[in-house]
Amino acid sequence: MDETVAEFIKRTILKIPISEMMTVLKAWNFLPENQLQTINFRQRKESVIQHLLLLCEEKCASINDAALLDIVCTQVHRHKKIWDVFRMSKEPGDDVDLFDMNQFKSSFKKVLQRALKNALTIASKHHEIVKMDLRSRYLDSLKAIAFQQYNQVFEIHNSTLPLQERRLALDSRIIHENRVEKERVQRITQESFGDYPQPQLEFAQYKLETKFKSDVNGGILAERKEPLRCLIKFSSPHLLDALKSLAPAGIADAPLSPLLTCIPKKKMNYFKIRDK
Amino acid sequence: MDSYDAPELTLRQSAFSRPEGICATPLQKRLESVRKQTSSVPTPPRRRIPQCPQVQEDVDPQKVAFLLHKQWTLYSLTPLYKFSYTNLKEYSRLLSAFIVAEKQKGLAVEVGEDLNIKVIFSILLGVKGTQRDPEAFLIQILSKSQFPSENREGKVLWTGWFCCVFGDNLLETVLEDFTCLPLFLANGSESNTAIIRTWFQKTFDCYFSPLAINAFNLSWMAAMWTACKMDHYVAATEFLWSVPCNPQSLNISYAIHPEDAKALWDSVHKTPGEVTQEEVDLFMDCLGSHFHRHFKIHLSATRLVCVSTSVASAHTDGKIKILCHKYLIGVLAYLTELAIFQIE
């Protein structure tokens, strides 16, 4: 059971006087009668709540169950609130629709979101609010990217080569294959990603609608006018670090595609790409 | 290689000829080397039967519906010694007692686990390729506790089934007293699977081995399943690649609209009625080059771990989900083949 759900249920039950608890719980109909009988309502309220929470945990109460409990409580204590009345009417000539719960829910949510955004914008005296294509669990990184603050920390050491390689390079008897190429890759990677620690993102998503073109596999899909519809998702505990390591590891070319390197600069991790 | 001339199917094992030294692109070179590294058993290059299966005799869609849309963990199984289809009731009883005994020993008890169970062995009619394939059978562990009446079936706790689809052409001569059902699929808790395996190993002197699926075979599956004719698609064709970066792992999910995947396949496919190695390579190459064009990343240098289509999805850890009853037998045929290669 989620912590939030547990807390929600706890706070709801706290509001119910002990004398009414059995009525409410029976009306809720989530815990079976035989379990309710095992609760000692004569003990302290905290203990009753503990016991109830345990039973709810065992039955894996969901947010919906908690919400239902809240509704039941409101019903039982309806006389404790002051209610306003509103009248809704349809335009004359409008169709008489049958009530569709799903449609009602989705419409209600959308309008509520819009209203919330409006309230936020107006109350904070801003002109416009736009949702960015940037999503992550890491709030600090989102902030760093949104405000372009990630490149202000500079690393102190002068060389970009990891310590091991530097040591090896000092021994002139060891010759690195492709040393020139490796150095080129390192330099380009550093130019693309910078010297500083990368902000932490865990995914990037690309919706591609581009035609198939291949020099090597010529002729394949040559006549097809429609693009290939692809959805590509990169995920990693630390995406930018992982991408940064691809070229040096030989898995990607250097320079890496701008579609990937532009993520922090463009402040986006959701992209739609089409042929020009 | 010998040519088998089985009348019911056109499976042929013929020499795969590819001129030496012709590896057109660096991509293809990498594909080649990945294949060599990851095949522990030399898989004979072969042409495949047509992807649309022959008439599926006796497969009642309703009876096998419960096999679909479930994730199955795959194992290969060596032949069963002195297994008899007439003793299924007896086996149910013995296995049931064994399971309860094992759980009471405390070796594999999960919190709140129910020991009031019933085991049912049953034949799965029609889940085979040719008449020579042995009958597939199914085991279910049901919970008895909530439904005291005999007529109501309890909740299914665990399901496992054994089958052999078009296996007889590939198996070596089977001695009497042995039943060959090389493919075992299980759904349910690991602990139950382990107990079932132990009982079978003791009772029929056989051996289970987890069936991993390497990138080479995943590519084949992706190509074959994309090639299947579908009335309507229920899912995109999706690949999951795992990239060995240090220190962070990176996963790349590449999903392509099923109609576009089919169009790509049709453009690649040249030999009517068969799927060849070249076509599979080319198909994967094209997907790789399209990806490389955008991202400059060589997918061939990464590890393919999962493929998913409207027909079925498969994971390298040996997990499969079959989504389309029309191609159930086709999917099982390929898996049977993989199982047999693992045993031999």
Side-chain angles (χ1 to χ4, degrees):
Chain A
M1 189 167 73
D2 208 280
E3 270 172 32
T4 331
V5 176
E7 190 61 29
F8 188 0
I9 295 180
K10 181 170 161 200
R11 291 195 196 182
T12 312
I13 302 178
L14 262 169
K15 291 188 265 185
I16 315 171
I18 292 266
S19 53
E20 289 174 15
M21 228 177 255
M22 198 47 148
T23 321
V24 171
L25 292 171
K26 276 197 188 152
W28 186 31
N29 201 24
F30 175 70
L31 297 170
E33 178 88 38
N34 57 353
Q35 279 194 333
L36 292 178
Q37 304 289 3
T38 64
I39 305 171
N40 177 9
F41 289 104
R42 273 189 263 239
Q43 57 188 330
R44 277 186 11 245
K45 200 165 184 184
E46 286 103 48
S47 313
V48 177
I49 294 178
Q50 288 277 45
H51 192 168
L52 278 169
L53 283 175
L54 212 63
L55 294 174
C56 290
E57 167 90 52
E58 276 171 26
K59 272 209 109 188
C60 300
S62 68
I63 191 79
N64 282 339
D65 299 314
L68 192 59
L69 178 63
D70 186 54
I71 292 178
V72 171
C73 285
T74 309
Q75 275 279 305
V76 170
H77 296 129
R78 54 194 182 274
H79 56 279
K80 290 202 176 146
K81 296 183 194 281
I82 296 184
W83 302 88
D84 285 321
V85 184
F86 294 85
R87 182 165 58 105
M88 292 193 291
S89 57
K90 288 201 170 169
E91 292 285 297
D94 263 358
D95 290 332
V96 178
D97 293 327
L98 289 172
F99 183 74
D100 179 345
M101 180 55 103
N102 287 328
Q103 198 251 336
F104 173 80
K105 275 190 198 171
S106 110
S107 188
F108 192 83
K109 274 189 214 161
K110 282 191 192 131
V111 175
L112 206 61
Q113 272 177 352
R114 243 180 278 154
L116 205 63
K117 277 156 71 175
N118 272 338
L120 198 62
T121 319
I122 294 170
S124 64
K125 298 206 178 119
H126 279 82
H127 168 65
E128 191 190 40
I129 183 166
V130 171
K131 186 174 176 188
M132 289 166 70
D133 287 317
L134 183 62
R135 269 175 224 133
S136 169
R137 274 183 222 278
Y138 299 100
L139 214 47
D140 293 335
S141 291
L142 287 176
K143 185 176 157 216
I145 294 173
F147 294 106
Q148 301 267 267
Q149 286 166 344
Y150 52 87
N151 54 1
Q152 285 167 9
V153 179
F154 288 95
E155 302 209 314
I156 299 170
H157 51 79
N158 346 358
S159 172
T160 52
L161 283 175
L163 206 57
Q164 258 185 328
E165 281 204 42
R166 260 183 275 148
R167 283 216 198 93
L168 287 172
L170 292 173
D171 187 336
S172 56
R173 291 171 298 175
I174 299 176
I175 304 166
H176 290 287
E177 273 180 42
N178 302 330
R179 190 170 55 86
V180 172
E181 175 62 14
K182 275 195 179 141
E183 281 170 3
R184 184 192 77 89
V185 168
Q186 285 289 6
R187 188 175 39 82
I188 292 182
T189 303
Q190 197 204 334
E191 278 165 14
S192 311
F193 287 90
D195 233 345
Y196 36 79
Q198 300 296 315
Q200 193 165 8
L201 286 175
E202 62 284 349
F203 54 84
Q205 185 173 291
Y206 297 82
K207 194 166 171 189
L208 301 179
E209 275 176 36
T210 52
K211 273 198 70 171
F212 178 78
K213 277 178 222 151
S214 175
D215 318 308
V216 180
N217 305 307
I220 305 285
L221 288 180
E223 276 113 50
R224 190 175 169 89
K225 298 205 175 58
E226 299 92 341
L228 292 182
R229 291 161 284 181
C230 302
L231 186 68
I232 291 166
K233 190 166 170 181
F234 294 85
S235 47
S236 166
H238 199 314
L239 179 65
L240 295 174
D241 263 355
L243 293 176
K244 188 175 175 182
S245 70
L246 291 180
I251 297 169
D253 299 337
L256 200 59
S257 162
L259 288 180
L260 296 167
T261 55
C262 74
I263 294 171
K265 294 178 204 126
K266 279 203 169 167
K267 306 177 198 176
M268 288 166 80
N269 59 356
Y270 276 75
F271 299 85
K272 284 198 176 91
I273 313 287
R274 288 207 177 89
D275 285 323
K276 289 193 181 107
Chain B
M1 299 227 116
D2 297 332
S3 265
Y4 290 78
D5 208 357
E8 292 93 347
L9 38 116
T10 54
L11 172 67
R12 275 179 292 125
Q13 294 189 345
S14 57
F16 177 76
S17 64
R18 187 175 178 165
E20 296 276 37
I22 297 192
C23 265
T25 62
L27 266 166
Q28 283 187 327
K29 277 192 187 123
R30 272 188 285 262
L31 267 176
E32 188 94 71
S33 75
V34 160
R35 276 209 312 275
K36 286 190 182 127
Q37 284 167 47
T38 53
S39 307
S40 49
V41 174
T43 42
R46 54 193 173 272
R47 290 171 183 235
R48 293 227 167 259
I49 53 171
Q51 55 274 29
C52 304
Q54 309 296 321
V55 172
Q56 293 184 87
E57 327 157 14
D58 302 330
V59 178
D60 183 347
Q62 290 200 324
K63 295 244 169 67
V64 295
F66 74 99
L67 298 177
L68 305 179
H69 304 289
K70 263 197 187 71
Q71 185 175 280
W72 302 101
T73 305
L74 301 171
Y75 296 83
S76 64
L77 177 61
T78 58
L80 302 169
Y81 181 63
K82 293 225 157 111
F83 172 87
S84 166
Y85 290 95
T86 55
N87 286 352
L88 297 186
K89 271 218 169 66
E90 175 76 358
Y91 297 151
S92 301
R93 210 180 44 80
L94 290 169
L95 182 52
S96 194
F98 183 78
I99 294 172
V100 173
E102 287 292 300
K103 295 207 174 190
Q104 281 175 341
K105 264 194 238 170
L107 291 174
V109 184
E110 284 145 20
V111 174
E113 191 156 29
D114 180 16
L115 291 182
N116 194 4
I117 54 146
K118 184 167 139 179
V119 175
I120 304 183
F121 276 65
S122 53
I123 305 259
L124 273 174
L125 277 176
V127 181
K128 48 160 57 176
T130 67
Q131 287 308 331
R132 286 194 299 274
D133 284 329
E135 295 295 338
F137 71 92
L138 173 79
I139 304 177
Q140 286 170 303
I141 302 178
L142 298 142
S143 155
K144 277 202 289 191
S145 55
Q146 287 178 353
F147 299 96
S149 85
E150 282 301 311
N151 300 329
R152 297 273 300 273
E153 283 220 329
K155 179 176 156 200
V156 177
L157 299 172
W158 182 95
T159 313
W161 45 298
F162 300 73
C163 66
C164 180
V165 179
F166 291 117
D168 58 321
N169 282 321
L170 298 164
L171 290 166
E172 307 187 344
T173 327
V174 179
L175 300 167
E176 234 182 275
D177 293 337
F178 280 96
T179 311
C180 288
L181 292 160
L183 187 63
F184 171 60
L185 306 93
N187 172 283
S189 76
E190 250 310 301
S191 59
N192 280 331
T193 308
I195 295 176
I196 307 283
R197 283 166 56 189
T198 309
W199 185 80
F200 267 84
Q201 282 171 187
K202 278 173 24 148
T203 315
F204 303 108
D205 199 22
C206 59
Y207 187 71
F208 292 83
S209 199
L211 184 64
I213 309 174
N214 62 25
F216 173 79
N217 287 308
L218 285 174
S219 307
W220 264 95
M221 287 177 184
M224 286 194 298
W225 299 340
T226 301
C228 292
K229 279 196 186 60
M230 301 285 285
D231 299 322
H232 69 276
Y233 294 102
V234 298
T237 300
E238 190 174 340
F239 299 83
L240 187 64
W241 307 84
S242 168
V243 187
C245 353
N246 201 7
Q248 302 292 348
S249 65
L250 174 66
N251 283 328
I252 302 175
S253 150
Y254 183 176
I256 171 168
H257 194 286
E259 286 164 7
D260 297 344
K262 184 71 164 63
L264 177 61
W265 172 257
D266 287 341
S267 191
V268 159
H269 185 49
K270 294 286 180 285
T271 31
E274 285 174 333
V275 174
T276 66
Q277 184 67 60
E278 278 155 334
E279 288 167 353
V280 175
D281 287 346
L282 188 53
F283 180 67
M284 296 303 291
D285 239 1
C286 287
L287 291 169
S289 71
H290 187 67
F291 189 88
H292 181 266
R293 184 162 80 82
H294 294 88
F295 299 103
K296 300 286 178 252
I297 296 175
H298 301 290
L299 284 175
S300 53
T302 67
R303 198 167 75 101
L304 181 60
V305 298
C306 185
V307 301
S308 184
T309 65
S310 290
V311 170
S313 66
H315 190 283
T316 195
D317 290 345
K319 306 226 188 283
I320 192 111
K321 206 185 251 194
I322 307 172
L323 303 168
C324 176
H325 105 267
K326 192 171 161 195
Y327 295 105
L328 172 67
I329 298 298
V331 172
L332 292 176
Y334 192 79
L335 294 174
T336 305
E337 207 175 306
L338 293 184
I340 293 172
F341 282 126
Q342 183 165 282
I343 300 168
E344 287 177 352

